[in-house]
């Protein structure tokens, strides 16, 4: 969906943070399409997790392949954790 944008931040130690944002006025459901090879991560060892950030987002976890619901004009900060 063109209204949902993702930015990837990867540290030298391999830790990855995704910034996912919905720039529309509608709720969107998305599935991530991650290029695991370019990140150098084995997808069989990864889980998706959001930290609780007061007034921003609740803590949440997804499995790979799950749909992620993104409210209008909102987003998620998602860690890819091994």
């Amino acid at each position: 969906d063109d209204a949902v944008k993702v930015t990837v931040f990867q540290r030298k130690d391999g830790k990855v943070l995704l910034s996912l944002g919905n720039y529309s006025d509608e709720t969107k459901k998305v599935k991530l399409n991650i290029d695991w090879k370019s990140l150098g991560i084995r997808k069989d060892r990864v889980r998706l997790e959001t930290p609780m950030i007061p007034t921003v987002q609740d803590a949440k976890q997804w499995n790979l392949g799950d749909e992620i619901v993104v409210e209008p004009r909102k987003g998620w900060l998602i860690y890819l954790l091994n």
Side-chain angles (χ1 to χ4, degrees):
D1 191 309
D2 290 339
V4 179
K5 307 292 183 192
V6 179
T7 302
V8 178
F9 301 93
Q10 186 171 27
R11 293 181 5 176
K12 290 181 182 180
D13 63 6
K15 291 183 180 178
V16 177
L17 174 70
L18 306 178
S19 176
L20 179 70
N22 177 0
Y23 290 87
S24 79
D25 293 323
E26 301 175 4
T27 298
K28 300 290 185 173
K29 294 181 181 180
V30 297
K31 288 187 178 184
L32 298 177
N33 182 12
I34 298 171
D35 183 348
W36 299 104
K37 186 176 180 180
S38 71
L39 291 177
I41 297 174
R42 290 180 50 183
K43 75 177 188 176
D44 60 330
R45 296 184 178 181
V46 171
R47 69 184 189 278
L48 306 173
E49 187 174 300
T50 63
M52 200 283 284
I53 303 173
T55 71
V56 176
Q57 69 183 25
D58 293 327
K60 190 164 178 69
Q61 291 184 352
W62 294 276
N63 293 313
L64 293 179
D66 286 353
E67 280 190 335
I68 299 172
V69 177
V70 189
E71 297 299 324
R73 305 290 171 186
K74 301 278 184 181
W76 293 103
L77 295 174
I78 303 171
Y79 286 113
L80 299 183
L81 301 173
N82 287 325

